[in-house]
Amino acid sequence: MGGADARIIRNTALVILALVTLRLVAAAFTPITFDEAYYWMWSKGLAGGYYDHPPMVAYVIRAGTMIAGDTELGVRLVSILLALPMSYAIYRSAAILFGGARVAASSAILLNVTLMAAVGTLIVTPDAPLLVASSFVLFFLAKVLETGRGAWWLAVGAAVGAALLSKYTAMFFGPAILIWLAAVPKLRRWFLSPWPYLGGLVALALFSPVILWNWDHQWVSFVKQLGRAKIEDFRPVFIAELIPTQIAFATPLVFILGAMGLHALTWHRAGALASRVLIETMFWTIVAYFIWHSLHARVEANWFAPVYPPFVVAAAAAANLVQWKPRTRRLVDFCLRWAAPAGIVMFAALIVQANTGWLSGYRRDATVRSVGVGWRELAAGIEAARVRTGATCVLAPDYGTTGWLTFYLPRGTCVVQQNQRIRWVNMPEPDPKLLAGKLLYVDELRGDGHPFLSELFTQVTRVAELQRRRGPLVIETYGVDLLEGARGDVLDRSPPPELLP
Protein backbone atom coordinates (compact mmCIF):
# COMPACT_ATOMS: atom_id res chain seq x y z
CA MET A 1 0.00 0.00 0.00
CA GLY A 2 1.46 3.36 -1.06
CA GLY A 3 1.68 6.43 1.11
CA ALA A 4 -1.12 8.14 -0.81
CA ASP A 5 -3.47 5.18 -0.32
CA ALA A 6 -2.65 5.01 3.40
CA ARG A 7 -3.46 8.71 3.73
CA ILE A 8 -6.77 8.25 1.93
CA ILE A 9 -7.72 5.36 4.20
CA ARG A 10 -6.78 7.33 7.33
CA ASN A 11 -8.69 10.42 6.26
CA THR A 12 -11.73 8.36 5.27
CA ALA A 13 -11.75 6.63 8.65
CA LEU A 14 -11.51 9.98 10.46
CA VAL A 15 -14.39 11.46 8.44
CA ILE A 16 -16.62 8.47 9.11
CA LEU A 17 -15.76 8.45 12.82
CA ALA A 18 -16.65 12.15 12.98
CA LEU A 19 -19.98 11.53 11.24
CA VAL A 20 -20.81 8.66 13.61
CA THR A 21 -19.93 10.86 16.59
CA LEU A 22 -22.23 13.57 15.26
CA ARG A 23 -25.08 11.05 15.06
CA LEU A 24 -24.44 9.85 18.60
CA VAL A 25 -24.68 13.43 19.87
CA ALA A 26 -27.90 14.00 17.91
CA ALA A 27 -29.31 10.70 19.19
CA ALA A 28 -28.80 11.70 22.81
CA PHE A 29 -31.01 14.80 22.70
CA THR A 30 -33.52 14.01 19.92
CA PRO A 31 -36.75 12.47 21.30
CA ILE A 32 -37.57 9.09 19.85
CA THR A 33 -40.12 8.70 17.08
CA PHE A 34 -43.31 6.72 17.59
CA ASP A 35 -41.92 3.89 15.43
CA GLU A 36 -38.79 3.70 17.58
CA ALA A 37 -40.89 3.58 20.75
CA TYR A 38 -42.91 0.75 19.19
CA TYR A 39 -39.80 -1.21 18.22
CA TRP A 40 -38.31 -0.53 21.67
CA MET A 41 -41.36 -2.28 23.13
CA TRP A 42 -40.64 -5.21 20.79
CA SER A 43 -37.16 -5.41 22.30
CA LYS A 44 -38.76 -6.17 25.67
CA GLY A 45 -40.39 -9.29 24.21
CA LEU A 46 -37.87 -10.79 21.80
CA ALA A 47 -39.32 -13.31 19.37
CA GLY A 48 -38.81 -14.81 15.93
CA GLY A 49 -41.18 -12.37 14.28
CA TYR A 50 -43.67 -9.55 14.76
CA TYR A 51 -46.88 -8.37 13.14
CA ASP A 52 -45.15 -5.73 11.01
CA HIS A 53 -41.61 -6.95 10.37
CA PRO A 54 -38.94 -9.55 11.09
CA PRO A 55 -37.14 -9.24 14.43
CA MET A 56 -33.69 -7.75 13.72
CA VAL A 57 -34.63 -4.19 14.73
CA ALA A 58 -35.73 -5.45 18.15
CA TYR A 59 -32.41 -7.21 18.69
CA VAL A 60 -30.46 -4.12 17.65
CA ILE A 61 -32.40 -1.97 20.12
CA ARG A 62 -32.09 -4.56 22.87
CA ALA A 63 -28.31 -4.62 22.46
CA GLY A 64 -28.14 -0.84 22.72
CA THR A 65 -30.33 -0.57 25.79
CA MET A 66 -28.27 -3.23 27.54
CA ILE A 67 -25.32 -0.85 27.18
CA ALA A 68 -26.85 2.61 27.59
CA GLY A 69 -30.20 1.89 29.25
CA ASP A 70 -33.75 2.68 28.18
CA THR A 71 -32.86 6.12 26.89
CA GLU A 72 -32.96 7.78 23.49
CA LEU A 73 -29.24 7.09 23.10
CA GLY A 74 -29.63 3.52 24.30
CA VAL A 75 -32.34 2.78 21.74
CA ARG A 76 -30.15 4.13 18.93
CA LEU A 77 -26.63 3.26 20.04
CA VAL A 78 -25.97 -0.01 18.23
CA SER A 79 -27.77 1.10 15.08
CA ILE A 80 -25.49 4.12 14.80
CA LEU A 81 -22.33 2.11 15.57
CA LEU A 82 -23.26 -0.38 12.85
CA ALA A 83 -22.33 2.37 10.39
CA LEU A 84 -18.69 1.47 11.06
CA PRO A 85 -18.80 -2.11 9.71
CA MET A 86 -21.20 -0.89 7.00
CA SER A 87 -18.59 1.64 5.87
CA TYR A 88 -15.89 -1.04 5.83
CA ALA A 89 -18.08 -3.29 3.68
CA ILE A 90 -18.78 -0.53 1.17
CA TYR A 91 -15.12 0.52 1.06
CA ARG A 92 -13.98 -3.03 0.34
CA SER A 93 -16.80 -3.63 -2.18
CA ALA A 94 -15.81 -0.62 -4.26
CA ALA A 95 -12.10 -1.43 -4.00
CA ILE A 96 -12.67 -4.95 -5.28
CA LEU A 97 -15.16 -4.10 -8.01
CA PHE A 98 -13.52 -0.98 -9.44
CA GLY A 99 -10.07 -0.77 -7.90
CA GLY A 100 -8.31 2.07 -6.19
CA ALA A 101 -8.51 3.71 -2.81
CA ARG A 102 -10.18 6.83 -4.21
CA VAL A 103 -13.21 4.98 -5.55
CA ALA A 104 -13.45 3.03 -2.30
CA ALA A 105 -13.12 6.10 -0.07
CA SER A 106 -15.62 8.06 -2.14
CA SER A 107 -18.14 5.21 -1.85
CA ALA A 108 -17.85 4.99 1.94
CA ILE A 109 -18.09 8.73 2.49
CA LEU A 110 -20.90 9.27 -0.01
CA LEU A 111 -23.00 6.58 1.67
CA ASN A 112 -22.47 8.10 5.10
CA VAL A 113 -23.51 11.61 4.06
CA THR A 114 -26.81 10.51 2.54
CA LEU A 115 -29.81 11.09 4.75
CA MET A 116 -30.68 7.44 4.13
CA ALA A 117 -27.60 6.42 6.14
CA ALA A 118 -27.27 9.41 8.47
CA VAL A 119 -30.91 9.57 9.55
CA GLY A 120 -31.58 5.92 8.73
CA THR A 121 -29.10 4.70 11.34
CA LEU A 122 -30.03 7.44 13.84
CA ILE A 123 -33.79 6.77 13.69
CA VAL A 124 -33.90 3.04 14.34
CA THR A 125 -36.28 1.20 12.04
CA PRO A 126 -35.92 -2.13 10.20
CA ASP A 127 -34.24 -0.17 7.39
CA ALA A 128 -31.18 0.49 9.58
CA PRO A 129 -29.99 -3.15 9.94
CA LEU A 130 -31.21 -3.80 6.38
CA LEU A 131 -28.88 -1.10 5.04
CA VAL A 132 -25.95 -2.61 6.93
CA ALA A 133 -26.74 -6.17 5.83
CA SER A 134 -27.18 -5.01 2.22
CA SER A 135 -23.68 -3.54 2.29
CA PHE A 136 -22.29 -6.93 3.32
CA VAL A 137 -24.29 -8.74 0.64
CA LEU A 138 -22.53 -6.56 -1.94
CA PHE A 139 -19.15 -7.03 -0.24
CA PHE A 140 -19.37 -10.82 -0.09
CA LEU A 141 -20.55 -11.05 -3.71
CA ALA A 142 -17.52 -8.95 -4.64
CA LYS A 143 -15.35 -11.47 -2.75
CA VAL A 144 -16.93 -14.30 -4.76
CA LEU A 145 -15.97 -12.42 -7.91
CA GLU A 146 -12.46 -11.57 -6.69
CA THR A 147 -11.44 -14.95 -5.31
CA GLY A 148 -13.55 -17.46 -7.21
CA ARG A 149 -13.79 -19.41 -3.95
CA GLY A 150 -17.09 -21.12 -3.32
CA ALA A 151 -16.88 -20.71 0.45
CA TRP A 152 -17.69 -17.02 0.08
CA TRP A 153 -21.20 -18.06 -0.95
CA LEU A 154 -21.75 -19.09 2.66
CA ALA A 155 -20.95 -15.53 3.69
CA VAL A 156 -23.33 -14.24 1.02
CA GLY A 157 -26.04 -16.49 2.46
CA ALA A 158 -25.35 -15.22 5.98
CA ALA A 159 -25.61 -11.60 4.82
CA VAL A 160 -28.82 -12.25 2.89
CA GLY A 161 -30.19 -14.08 5.94
CA ALA A 162 -29.38 -11.09 8.15
CA ALA A 163 -31.07 -8.83 5.60
CA LEU A 164 -34.17 -11.05 5.61
CA LEU A 165 -34.24 -10.88 9.41
CA SER A 166 -34.34 -7.10 9.00
CA LYS A 167 -37.00 -6.62 6.34
CA TYR A 168 -38.81 -8.68 3.73
CA THR A 169 -37.51 -6.44 0.93
CA ALA A 170 -34.32 -8.52 1.10
CA MET A 171 -36.10 -11.31 -0.79
CA PHE A 172 -35.21 -9.43 -3.98
CA PHE A 173 -31.54 -10.21 -3.46
CA GLY A 174 -32.22 -13.74 -4.70
CA PRO A 175 -33.47 -12.71 -8.16
CA ALA A 176 -30.76 -10.02 -8.39
CA ILE A 177 -28.00 -12.57 -7.75
CA LEU A 178 -29.48 -15.04 -10.25
CA ILE A 179 -29.69 -12.36 -12.94
CA TRP A 180 -26.06 -11.39 -12.25
CA LEU A 181 -24.84 -14.97 -12.62
CA ALA A 182 -26.86 -15.53 -15.78
CA ALA A 183 -25.81 -12.26 -17.41
CA VAL A 184 -22.05 -12.71 -16.99
CA PRO A 185 -20.74 -15.68 -19.03
CA LYS A 186 -17.79 -16.49 -16.77
CA LEU A 187 -20.07 -16.67 -13.70
CA ARG A 188 -22.53 -19.20 -15.12
CA ARG A 189 -20.36 -22.02 -13.85
CA TRP A 190 -21.73 -21.30 -10.37
CA PHE A 191 -25.09 -22.73 -11.41
CA LEU A 192 -23.38 -26.15 -11.51
CA SER A 193 -21.63 -25.66 -8.18
CA PRO A 194 -23.14 -26.60 -4.81
CA TRP A 195 -21.81 -23.45 -3.12
CA PRO A 196 -24.53 -20.94 -4.12
CA TYR A 197 -27.20 -23.42 -3.06
CA LEU A 198 -25.46 -23.99 0.26
CA GLY A 199 -25.42 -20.22 0.68
CA GLY A 200 -29.16 -20.23 0.03
CA LEU A 201 -29.62 -22.83 2.76
CA VAL A 202 -27.65 -20.63 5.17
CA ALA A 203 -29.97 -17.71 4.38
CA LEU A 204 -33.02 -19.95 4.82
CA ALA A 205 -31.74 -21.28 8.14
CA LEU A 206 -31.22 -17.77 9.49
CA PHE A 207 -34.68 -16.75 8.26
CA SER A 208 -36.40 -19.86 9.62
CA PRO A 209 -37.43 -18.28 12.97
CA VAL A 210 -39.52 -15.77 11.01
CA ILE A 211 -41.15 -18.58 9.05
CA LEU A 212 -41.91 -20.52 12.22
CA TRP A 213 -43.33 -17.45 13.93
CA ASN A 214 -45.63 -16.78 10.98
CA TRP A 215 -46.67 -20.42 10.91
CA ASP A 216 -47.77 -20.06 14.53
CA HIS A 217 -49.64 -16.81 13.78
CA GLN A 218 -51.61 -17.60 10.61
CA TRP A 219 -48.88 -16.12 8.38
CA VAL A 220 -50.10 -12.67 9.39
CA SER A 221 -46.82 -10.81 8.87
CA PHE A 222 -46.34 -12.27 5.40
CA VAL A 223 -49.92 -11.48 4.45
CA LYS A 224 -49.63 -7.93 5.75
CA GLN A 225 -46.38 -7.03 4.01
CA LEU A 226 -46.62 -9.04 0.80
CA GLY A 227 -50.16 -7.88 0.14
CA ARG A 228 -49.44 -4.13 0.28
CA ALA A 229 -49.77 -3.33 -3.42
CA LYS A 230 -52.66 -4.93 -5.27
CA ILE A 231 -52.99 -4.87 -9.03
CA GLU A 232 -56.62 -3.79 -8.86
CA ASP A 233 -55.60 -0.63 -6.93
CA PHE A 234 -54.11 1.11 -9.98
CA ARG A 235 -53.18 4.64 -8.84
CA PRO A 236 -50.12 5.87 -10.77
CA VAL A 237 -50.15 9.23 -8.98
CA PHE A 238 -47.78 7.77 -6.38
CA ILE A 239 -44.98 7.33 -8.90
CA ALA A 240 -44.56 11.10 -8.96
CA GLU A 241 -43.29 10.94 -5.37
CA LEU A 242 -40.42 8.56 -6.11
CA ILE A 243 -37.74 10.82 -7.57
CA PRO A 244 -38.27 13.88 -5.30
CA THR A 245 -38.12 11.79 -2.14
CA GLN A 246 -35.04 9.93 -3.30
CA ILE A 247 -33.30 13.18 -4.23
CA ALA A 248 -33.88 14.29 -0.66
CA PHE A 249 -32.85 11.02 0.97
CA ALA A 250 -29.76 10.61 -1.20
CA THR A 251 -29.06 14.37 -0.96
CA PRO A 252 -29.09 16.18 -4.32
CA LEU A 253 -25.39 16.00 -5.14
CA VAL A 254 -25.05 12.31 -4.30
CA PHE A 255 -28.20 11.64 -6.32
CA ILE A 256 -26.69 13.37 -9.36
CA LEU A 257 -23.47 11.37 -9.04
CA GLY A 258 -25.37 8.12 -8.56
CA ALA A 259 -27.56 8.71 -11.61
CA MET A 260 -24.50 9.57 -13.69
CA GLY A 261 -22.74 6.48 -12.37
CA LEU A 262 -25.58 4.16 -13.35
CA HIS A 263 -25.59 5.75 -16.80
CA ALA A 264 -21.82 5.37 -17.08
CA LEU A 265 -21.85 1.72 -16.07
CA THR A 266 -24.34 0.98 -18.83
CA TRP A 267 -23.16 3.21 -21.67
CA HIS A 268 -19.55 4.13 -20.92
CA ARG A 269 -18.59 0.59 -19.96
CA ALA A 270 -16.80 1.83 -16.84
CA GLY A 271 -15.19 -1.15 -15.12
CA ALA A 272 -15.23 -4.87 -15.87
CA LEU A 273 -18.43 -6.52 -17.09
CA ALA A 274 -19.02 -8.60 -13.96
CA SER A 275 -18.59 -5.57 -11.69
CA ARG A 276 -20.88 -3.39 -13.76
CA VAL A 277 -23.61 -6.00 -13.97
CA LEU A 278 -23.43 -6.69 -10.23
CA ILE A 279 -24.05 -3.03 -9.41
CA GLU A 280 -26.83 -2.75 -11.97
CA THR A 281 -28.69 -5.89 -10.93
CA MET A 282 -28.43 -5.12 -7.21
CA PHE A 283 -29.89 -1.68 -7.94
CA TRP A 284 -32.43 -2.18 -10.69
CA THR A 285 -34.04 -5.43 -9.50
CA ILE A 286 -35.33 -3.75 -6.36
CA VAL A 287 -36.03 -0.40 -8.02
CA ALA A 288 -38.09 -2.11 -10.73
CA TYR A 289 -40.32 -3.64 -8.07
CA PHE A 290 -40.81 -0.31 -6.31
CA ILE A 291 -41.69 1.40 -9.58
CA TRP A 292 -44.36 -1.26 -10.09
CA HIS A 293 -45.48 -0.87 -6.47
CA SER A 294 -45.81 2.89 -6.86
CA LEU A 295 -48.36 2.34 -9.63
CA HIS A 296 -50.68 0.87 -7.00
CA ALA A 297 -49.69 2.32 -3.61
CA ARG A 298 -47.38 4.78 -1.91
CA VAL A 299 -43.70 3.85 -1.69
CA GLU A 300 -42.03 5.35 1.36
CA ALA A 301 -38.62 6.91 0.78
CA ASN A 302 -36.85 4.71 3.34
CA TRP A 303 -37.90 1.53 1.53
CA PHE A 304 -35.06 2.08 -0.96
CA ALA A 305 -32.39 1.44 1.70
CA PRO A 306 -31.05 -1.81 0.16
CA VAL A 307 -30.21 -0.13 -3.18
CA TYR A 308 -28.05 2.57 -1.60
CA PRO A 309 -24.85 0.46 -1.37
CA PRO A 310 -24.69 -0.20 -5.14
CA PHE A 311 -25.95 3.33 -5.83
CA VAL A 312 -23.07 5.03 -4.01
CA VAL A 313 -20.53 2.69 -5.58
CA ALA A 314 -21.88 3.75 -8.96
CA ALA A 315 -21.62 7.39 -7.83
CA ALA A 316 -17.99 6.90 -6.84
CA ALA A 317 -17.23 5.23 -10.16
CA ALA A 318 -18.75 8.19 -11.99
CA ALA A 319 -16.62 10.61 -10.01
CA ASN A 320 -13.31 8.78 -10.25
CA LEU A 321 -13.21 6.49 -13.27
CA VAL A 322 -15.21 7.89 -16.17
CA GLN A 323 -13.67 10.20 -18.74
CA TRP A 324 -16.34 12.87 -19.02
CA LYS A 325 -16.43 15.80 -21.40
CA PRO A 326 -15.06 19.02 -19.84
CA ARG A 327 -18.43 20.58 -18.94
CA THR A 328 -19.71 17.33 -17.44
CA ARG A 329 -16.40 16.85 -15.64
CA ARG A 330 -16.85 20.19 -13.90
CA LEU A 331 -20.30 19.11 -12.72
CA VAL A 332 -18.94 15.80 -11.42
CA ASP A 333 -16.06 17.51 -9.61
CA PHE A 334 -18.44 20.02 -8.05
CA CYS A 335 -20.77 17.27 -6.82
CA LEU A 336 -17.91 15.21 -5.41
CA ARG A 337 -16.33 18.18 -3.64
CA TRP A 338 -19.52 19.47 -2.05
CA ALA A 339 -21.51 16.26 -1.51
CA ALA A 340 -20.15 15.70 2.00
CA PRO A 341 -20.54 19.31 3.24
CA ALA A 342 -24.03 19.52 1.73
CA GLY A 343 -25.07 16.22 3.29
CA ILE A 344 -23.76 17.23 6.71
CA VAL A 345 -25.56 20.58 6.54
CA MET A 346 -28.80 18.88 5.53
CA PHE A 347 -28.49 16.39 8.40
CA ALA A 348 -27.72 19.10 10.95
CA ALA A 349 -30.59 21.26 9.69
CA LEU A 350 -33.00 18.34 9.90
CA ILE A 351 -31.99 17.56 13.49
CA VAL A 352 -32.25 21.22 14.55
CA GLN A 353 -35.64 21.56 12.85
CA ALA A 354 -37.01 18.32 14.32
CA ASN A 355 -36.04 19.38 17.84
CA THR A 356 -36.87 23.08 17.75
CA GLY A 357 -38.88 24.09 14.69
CA TRP A 358 -36.68 27.18 14.32
CA LEU A 359 -35.99 26.82 10.60
CA SER A 360 -39.69 26.91 9.66
CA GLY A 361 -40.57 29.70 12.04
CA TYR A 362 -42.20 27.13 14.38
CA ARG A 363 -44.65 26.06 11.69
CA ARG A 364 -45.56 22.44 11.02
CA ASP A 365 -43.26 20.29 8.90
CA ALA A 366 -42.78 16.63 8.01
CA THR A 367 -41.03 15.83 11.31
CA VAL A 368 -43.51 17.32 13.73
CA ARG A 369 -45.83 14.34 14.02
CA SER A 370 -43.32 11.51 14.10
CA VAL A 371 -40.58 12.86 16.40
CA GLY A 372 -41.65 12.82 20.05
CA VAL A 373 -40.87 16.44 20.86
CA GLY A 374 -43.00 17.53 23.82
CA TRP A 375 -43.83 14.00 24.91
CA ARG A 376 -41.78 14.12 28.09
CA GLU A 377 -43.81 17.10 29.33
CA LEU A 378 -47.06 15.61 28.04
CA ALA A 379 -46.34 12.32 29.82
CA ALA A 380 -45.75 14.21 33.07
CA GLY A 381 -49.23 15.71 32.80
CA ILE A 382 -50.77 12.31 32.03
CA GLU A 383 -48.98 10.74 35.00
CA ALA A 384 -50.27 13.51 37.27
CA ALA A 385 -53.82 12.76 36.08
CA ARG A 386 -53.30 9.04 36.63
CA VAL A 387 -52.09 9.54 40.19
CA ARG A 388 -54.85 12.05 40.95
CA THR A 389 -57.61 9.74 39.74
CA GLY A 390 -56.14 6.51 41.05
CA ALA A 391 -56.17 4.89 37.62
CA THR A 392 -54.35 1.55 37.48
CA CYS A 393 -53.69 1.41 33.73
CA VAL A 394 -53.53 3.70 30.69
CA LEU A 395 -55.23 2.71 27.44
CA ALA A 396 -54.20 4.04 24.03
CA PRO A 397 -55.83 3.77 20.59
CA ASP A 398 -52.77 3.06 18.41
CA TYR A 399 -49.29 1.59 18.57
CA GLY A 400 -47.51 4.94 18.30
CA THR A 401 -49.26 6.48 21.30
CA THR A 402 -48.79 3.21 23.19
CA GLY A 403 -45.07 3.26 22.51
CA TRP A 404 -44.61 6.89 23.48
CA LEU A 405 -46.63 6.48 26.67
CA THR A 406 -44.67 3.39 27.69
CA PHE A 407 -41.33 5.07 26.99
CA TYR A 408 -42.03 8.41 28.68
CA LEU A 409 -44.30 7.42 31.59
CA PRO A 410 -42.56 6.09 34.72
CA ARG A 411 -41.13 2.61 34.15
CA GLY A 412 -43.54 -0.13 35.12
CA THR A 413 -46.68 1.90 34.41
CA CYS A 414 -49.39 -0.28 32.88
CA VAL A 415 -49.92 0.93 29.30
CA VAL A 416 -52.02 -1.09 26.85
CA GLN A 417 -53.23 -0.57 23.29
CA GLN A 418 -56.97 -1.11 23.49
CA ASN A 419 -57.25 -2.57 19.97
CA GLN A 420 -55.03 -4.40 17.45
CA ARG A 421 -53.87 -6.93 20.02
CA ILE A 422 -51.99 -8.84 17.30
CA ARG A 423 -49.22 -6.24 17.66
CA TRP A 424 -48.47 -7.41 21.19
CA VAL A 425 -48.70 -11.21 20.95
CA ASN A 426 -45.03 -11.54 21.94
CA MET A 427 -45.55 -9.67 25.21
CA PRO A 428 -47.29 -10.84 28.39
CA GLU A 429 -50.97 -10.02 28.60
CA PRO A 430 -51.73 -7.15 30.98
CA ASP A 431 -52.68 -8.10 34.53
CA PRO A 432 -56.51 -8.48 34.61
CA LYS A 433 -56.54 -6.85 38.06
CA LEU A 434 -55.04 -3.67 36.60
CA LEU A 435 -57.68 -3.60 33.85
CA ALA A 436 -60.50 -4.15 36.35
CA GLY A 437 -59.99 -0.85 38.16
CA LYS A 438 -60.15 2.75 37.04
CA LEU A 439 -58.49 3.35 33.66
CA LEU A 440 -57.30 6.34 31.69
CA TYR A 441 -57.87 6.59 27.95
CA VAL A 442 -55.44 8.90 26.12
CA ASP A 443 -56.03 10.02 22.55
CA GLU A 444 -56.00 13.14 20.41
CA LEU A 445 -59.16 15.23 20.66
CA ARG A 446 -61.62 14.14 18.02
CA GLY A 447 -64.77 15.88 16.87
CA ASP A 448 -66.93 12.77 17.27
CA GLY A 449 -65.32 11.75 20.55
CA HIS A 450 -65.09 8.04 21.32
CA PRO A 451 -68.66 6.67 21.41
CA PHE A 452 -67.42 3.08 21.77
CA LEU A 453 -66.08 3.94 25.22
CA SER A 454 -69.61 4.49 26.49
CA GLU A 455 -70.49 1.01 25.30
CA LEU A 456 -67.56 -0.52 27.19
CA PHE A 457 -67.84 1.49 30.44
CA THR A 458 -70.69 2.78 32.58
CA GLN A 459 -68.92 6.08 33.24
CA VAL A 460 -66.58 8.10 31.01
CA THR A 461 -65.30 11.39 32.45
CA ARG A 462 -62.94 13.87 30.81
CA VAL A 463 -60.31 14.68 33.45
CA ALA A 464 -57.72 16.60 31.42
CA GLU A 465 -56.90 18.14 28.07
CA LEU A 466 -53.15 18.34 27.51
CA GLN A 467 -51.09 19.80 24.70
CA ARG A 468 -47.97 18.46 23.05
CA ARG A 469 -45.87 21.39 21.97
CA ARG A 470 -42.71 22.21 20.05
CA GLY A 471 -41.89 25.70 21.22
CA PRO A 472 -44.97 27.85 20.62
CA LEU A 473 -46.44 25.32 18.16
CA VAL A 474 -49.23 23.11 19.49
CA ILE A 475 -48.66 19.79 17.74
CA GLU A 476 -51.63 17.92 19.19
CA THR A 477 -54.13 18.26 22.00
CA TYR A 478 -54.88 15.08 23.90
CA GLY A 479 -57.99 14.24 25.84
CA VAL A 480 -57.54 12.18 29.00
CA ASP A 481 -60.69 10.29 29.96
CA LEU A 482 -61.31 8.41 33.20
CA LEU A 483 -63.03 5.09 32.55
CA GLU A 484 -65.02 3.33 35.27
CA GLY A 485 -67.39 0.37 35.44
CA ALA A 486 -66.17 -1.96 32.70
CA ARG A 487 -69.05 -3.91 31.15
CA GLY A 488 -66.78 -6.79 30.12
CA ASP A 489 -63.42 -7.27 28.43
CA VAL A 490 -62.06 -3.77 27.84
CA LEU A 491 -59.69 -4.92 25.07
CA ASP A 492 -60.79 -5.35 21.48
CA ARG A 493 -59.47 -8.77 20.50
CA SER A 494 -60.80 -8.76 16.94
CA PRO A 495 -58.51 -10.49 14.41
CA PRO A 496 -56.37 -8.19 12.26
CA PRO A 497 -57.90 -7.08 8.95
CA GLU A 498 -55.37 -9.19 7.03
CA LEU A 499 -56.95 -12.34 8.44
CA LEU A 500 -60.56 -11.38 7.86
CA PRO A 501 -62.33 -13.12 4.95
Side-chain angles (χ1 to χ4, degrees):
M1 181 186 300
D5 286 355
R7 186 168 58 253
I8 290 172
I9 292 173
R10 182 183 67 248
N11 292 341
T12 301
L14 290 174
V15 169
I16 292 171
L17 284 171
L19 292 173
V20 169
T21 302
L22 177 62
R23 290 172 208 158
L24 289 171
V25 173
F29 67 79
T30 301
I32 63 172
T33 66
F34 62 83
D35 276 337
E36 289 178 294
Y38 179 43
Y39 302 138
W40 168 75
M41 292 187 70
W42 285 9
S43 76
K44 301 304 178 183
L46 296 178
Y50 298 87
Y51 172 59
D52 306 81
H53 294 290
M56 185 65 81
V57 66
Y59 285 87
V60 168
I61 292 174
R62 179 66 169 269
T65 56
M66 289 174 65
I67 298 169
D70 291 319
T71 63
E72 286 89 348
L73 178 60
V75 169
R76 295 161 170 161
L77 178 62
V78 169
S79 176
I80 294 173
L81 293 179
L82 282 174
L84 298 176
M86 175 192 76
S87 302
Y88 171 79
I90 288 299
Y91 184 97
R92 293 290 296 127
S93 299
I96 292 168
L97 295 175
F98 294 102
R102 290 191 179 277
V103 176
S106 297
S107 298
I109 292 174
L110 289 175
L111 178 58
N112 274 277
V113 299
T114 63
L115 293 185
M116 180 65 76
V119 177
T121 56
L122 169 66
I123 304 300
V124 190
T125 69
D127 298 290
L130 175 61
L131 178 60
V132 178
S134 300
S135 301
F136 277 92
V137 173
L138 184 62
F139 172 41
F140 293 141
L141 288 170
K143 292 298 292 184
V144 168
L145 181 62
E146 179 189 39
T147 67
R149 293 179 56 194
W152 280 107
W153 282 108
L154 303 181
V156 172
V160 172
L164 285 167
L165 287 173
S166 303
K167 204 170 184 180
Y168 296 127
T169 313
M171 70 177 63
F172 290 103
F173 285 138
I177 292 170
L178 291 176
I179 293 170
W180 177 53
L181 296 179
V184 180
K186 72 174 185 178
L187 298 179
R188 293 171 190 161
R189 68 181 181 88
W190 288 115
F191 286 118
L192 302 178
S193 167
W195 288 107
Y197 307 104
L198 291 173
L201 289 176
V202 170
L204 181 62
L206 289 174
F207 187 60
S208 60
V210 182
I211 299 174
L212 293 174
W213 185 92
N214 272 275
W215 186 25
D216 284 340
H217 295 87
Q218 298 178 272
W219 309 103
V220 64
S221 184
F222 290 163
V223 173
K224 174 180 172 60
Q225 294 296 343
L226 302 182
R228 279 181 176 270
K230 300 177 181 179
I231 295 177
E232 61 266 25
D233 299 332
F234 185 70
R235 290 180 289 176
V237 64
F238 293 120
I239 199 169
E241 299 178 2
L242 283 182
I243 293 179
T245 57
Q246 290 314 304
I247 290 174
F249 266 59
T251 71
L253 301 185
V254 175
F255 184 87
I256 292 171
L257 285 176
M260 295 179 72
L262 292 169
H263 176 269
L265 294 180
T266 302
W267 302 108
H268 290 245
R269 309 289 181 178
L273 174 65
S275 298
R276 298 199 316 267
V277 175
L278 177 58
I279 294 298
E280 290 170 333
T281 54
M282 294 292 282
F283 180 86
W284 287 113
T285 304
I286 295 175
V287 169
Y289 166 73
F290 283 133
I291 290 174
W292 174 84
H293 188 111
S294 69
L295 295 174
H296 310 282
R298 175 170 282 107
V299 173
E300 301 295 341
N302 56 293
W303 294 0
F304 282 84
V307 308
Y308 270 67
F311 186 69
V312 297
V313 173
N320 293 281
L321 296 181
V322 181
Q323 299 296 317
W324 301 101
K325 293 180 179 180
R327 180 179 296 180
T328 307
R329 182 75 250 175
R330 288 194 293 272
L331 172 62
V332 169
D333 290 342
F334 175 85
C335 291
L336 184 61
R337 176 177 300 174
W338 293 104
I344 293 169
V345 168
M346 288 180 66
F347 173 75
L350 183 61
I351 295 301
V352 170
Q353 175 63 17
N355 280 276
T356 68
W358 292 344
L359 301 182
S360 65
Y362 299 106
R363 291 187 292 271
R364 288 183 175 272
D365 61 21
T367 69
V368 74
R369 291 278 295 181
S370 59
V371 178
V373 174
W375 253 101
R376 195 175 298 278
E377 296 78 11
L378 174 62
I382 294 170
E383 174 63 8
R386 189 191 69 80
V387 172
R388 185 175 68 250
T389 59
T392 55
C393 196
V394 181
L395 301 184
D398 55 74
Y399 74 86
T401 306
T402 303
W404 268 330
L405 284 167
T406 306
F407 192 84
Y408 286 112
L409 286 174
R411 293 290 178 259
T413 302
C414 174
V415 179
V416 180
Q417 183 176 349
Q418 189 270 334
N419 55 4
Q420 295 185 329
R421 298 304 302 160
I422 185 65
R423 295 186 180 276
W424 313 105
V425 294
N426 298 321
M427 303 187 71
E429 279 289 296
D431 187 342
K433 294 179 181 178
L434 297 178
L435 294 179
K438 297 179 180 179
L439 307 176
L440 288 187
Y441 189 83
V442 178
D443 191 16
E444 295 178 57
L445 289 183
R446 303 182 187 277
D448 58 350
H450 300 93
F452 74 94
L453 291 178
S454 298
E455 299 174 4
L456 291 175
F457 298 89
T458 59
Q459 188 171 347
V460 179
T461 308
R462 176 63 48 83
V463 295
E465 291 186 1
L466 304 170
Q467 295 178 334
R468 179 162 83 95
R469 306 175 70 94
R470 187 176 69 183
L473 174 67
V474 176
I475 302 171
E476 297 131 351
T477 300
Y478 284 83
V480 182
D481 294 324
L482 178 64
L483 311 177
E484 299 177 88
R487 302 179 191 274
D489 191 349
V490 302
L491 302 182
D492 180 359
R493 303 181 187 277
S494 302
E498 292 81 8
L499 300 182
L500 293 176

